[in-house]
Amino acid sequence: MNTIPDPLPRQKIRHITLKAATIGLILGAAARAGAADDTWSGNGADRFWKTPGNWVGGVAPSASDSLFFGGTRNTATTNNFATDTAFNSFTFNSPAGFFVLGGNEVALGGNITNNQVVTPQTISLPLLLNATPTVSIVPNGVLTANGAISGAHGLVVSGGGTMNLNGTNSFTGSLTVNNSSTVVVGADTNLGSGNLVLNNGTLAATASFALSAGRGLAVGPGWGGVRVASGLTLSYGGVIADNGGAGGLSKSGYGALALSGANTYSGITTNAIGTLVLDFTQPGSPASGIINSSSSLELGGGNAGGGAENEARLVMSGGTVADVQNFNGAFSTFGGSVIVATNRAGGTVNLGLGALSHSPGGTIAFVTPQSTAGGHVTTTSPNVNSILGGYALISGDANAASTFTDTGHTLTVGTNFAAVDGSGNVFLSDAGHAKV
């Protein structure tokens, strides 16, 4: 009788089956450890991350997982994993209550996302950046980082929401603010030690302080915004440059932004409300051109809010030498605009505005040092019927504005129409014109 030999003895089959099962377990464990998404439920007996009951499915996270937070149970959470345990990303889902992530420092390898509008989300634990995360915050969303952020990487803030940086941060990469997003700080140390890029995004100051002059700042392409709250002054003696294309500086908020470096950005310089100071009095200030002369000036259009004076001011504060600032045109949108040029003893100021223009309802009040031989404010615009126009007024002609104060608020007022002489110098029109 013929028989067919068994090509695989039973013992070999058993060994192959066991090995395959072992490989499958190893691969499954590796996939779980490296790529799992873990969602907070808050159903555990405490608020710790290592408690399995706090996570959907009853399984605690593993290192390198992506963590998702949502719902309203036990929203004050504590990371009790070992310090610098790596996690891939944090996401705040919608809906989410007032989450606070506290506890030990996390080594972050990926992004942070906040999808919850209005309700603030807070990361109070420290972060060690193992990569440059994109921090995406939905419009009208708020994310606050209270813990220190460190590492040899930066932050990219996008999405159109607001990020509050409150920690003493030492990360060395650039902080980039994109796409109508806002980063809010109260000190230079909140910004890390790298450069600042405002790519159609805004830096908002909640205290008076000076940005480090050694910190590079770039705006655009398009614009970069700086907002300073009422009663505060943000100072910067470094260089604001274009970011890969023509960038403009857009200042808002009723506080003051004081610039004293030789800035090179080439887009529009806008001050919607409050005060923009070109400070030529500082030791490192140039004698000419705090603002690039290819930049045009736009004043007004903002709203100071209740209880504040609704004026947009440009102040050229001269030192003890001959200081010069030129613009490629000046425009006043609706509301009152004020242009002030003042000199110190021994110095002069010459502010060239180029051609003047305005929208309906826009006015400009000039304060010049001309009558005391301290310099000039000039324009290429001609007189019309012996004056620049009904929108252009003289408020003061000797380094001091004419003002009106009522219930604690002071407004700059025009006392006569402005005219230009044959050299383009703005001056007080003759007495034959009615005062205003």
Side-chain angles (χ1 to χ4, degrees):
M1 180 178 178
N2 295 329
T3 60
I4 300 173
D6 186 351
L8 290 174
R10 293 176 182 271
Q11 187 175 11
K12 290 184 178 180
I13 291 173
R14 184 173 68 240
H15 288 167
I16 291 171
T17 302
L18 289 173
K19 288 178 180 177
T22 301
I23 292 170
L25 287 172
I26 292 171
L27 291 175
R32 170 66 180 84
D37 293 345
D38 304 306
T39 300
W40 181 264
S41 67
N43 291 327
D46 53 40
R47 300 169 186 262
F48 294 120
W49 289 13
K50 293 180 74 171
T51 301
N54 280 327
W55 301 92
V56 172
V59 178
S62 297
S64 299
D65 282 1
S66 295
L67 307 186
F68 293 76
F69 298 89
T72 58
R73 291 183 59 83
N74 287 336
T75 56
T77 77
T78 301
N79 173 28
N80 59 333
F81 284 86
T83 296
D84 291 336
T85 296
F87 289 103
N88 184 51
S89 64
F90 295 152
T91 298
F92 297 95
N93 292 331
S94 179
F98 295 87
F99 271 90
V100 178
L101 310 187
N104 293 330
E105 180 173 270
V106 165
L108 185 67
N111 299 328
I112 301 173
T113 302
N114 178 17
N115 292 318
Q116 175 60 50
V117 298
V118 181
T119 305
Q121 308 300 314
T122 303
I123 300 174
S124 288
L125 52 78
L127 294 174
L128 171 63
L129 303 180
N130 285 342
T132 294
T134 295
V135 183
S136 181
I137 306 169
V138 68
N140 297 315
V142 179
L143 176 64
T144 297
N146 289 328
I149 304 174
S150 61
H153 298 278
L155 293 173
V156 177
V157 181
S158 295
T162 298
M163 184 174 194
N164 299 303
L165 290 175
N166 294 336
T168 300
N169 299 315
S170 60
F171 61 89
T172 58
S174 294
L175 171 61
T176 301
V177 189
N178 290 333
N179 305 330
S180 299
S181 301
T182 301
V183 167
V184 182
V185 297
D188 184 67
T189 53
N190 299 148
L191 295 168
S193 60
N195 294 331
L196 176 62
V197 179
L198 302 175
N199 179 14
N200 301 302
T202 298
L203 174 72
T206 60
S208 293
F209 65 94
L211 290 170
S212 170
R215 182 192 304 283
L217 201 164
V219 291
W223 59 275
V226 177
R227 186 171 72 239
V228 187
S230 180
L232 304 178
T233 299
L234 178 64
S235 304
Y236 181 57
V239 175
I240 306 175
D242 287 332
N243 177 42
L249 175 66
S250 181
K251 186 263 172 192
S252 60
Y254 198 70
L257 173 64
L259 303 177
S260 57
N263 299 289
T264 61
Y265 70 89
S266 56
I268 298 173
T269 300
T270 301
N271 180 28
I273 199 70
T275 304
L276 174 62
V277 180
L278 308 183
D279 187 358
F280 286 86
T281 69
Q282 298 303 309
S285 298
S288 177
I290 284 179
I291 304 296
N292 187 337
S293 61
S294 65
S295 176
S296 59
L297 175 67
E298 183 172 314
L299 296 174
N303 192 331
E309 300 82 17
N310 207 66
E311 291 182 349
R313 303 183 190 91
L314 173 76
V315 176
M316 180 181 176
S317 181
T320 57
V321 297
D323 295 314
V324 177
Q325 176 62 58
N326 291 308
F327 286 98
N328 187 26
F331 175 76
S332 173
T333 185
F334 68 85
S337 300
V338 182
I339 295 177
V340 179
T342 63
N343 67 298
R344 288 189 175 184
T348 59
V349 290
N350 286 281
L351 174 59
L353 298 173
L356 299 177
S357 58
H358 68 102
S359 63
T363 63
I364 305 175
F366 295 95
V367 179
T368 82
Q370 181 163 317
S371 66
T372 56
H376 304 279
V377 177
T378 65
T379 176
T380 59
S381 294
N383 287 327
V384 177
N385 296 323
S386 301
I387 61 172
L388 273 170
Y391 71 94
L393 309 169
I394 288 289
S395 177
D397 198 34
N399 281 328
S402 298
T403 60
F404 171 77
T405 301
D406 182 39
T407 63
H409 300 291
T410 300
L411 291 173
T412 303
V413 296
T415 57
N416 211 323
F417 293 117
V420 291
D421 63 20
S423 299
N425 301 317
V426 177
F427 72 102
L428 184 69
S429 64
D430 63 69
H433 294 291
K435 292 186 178 182
V436 293

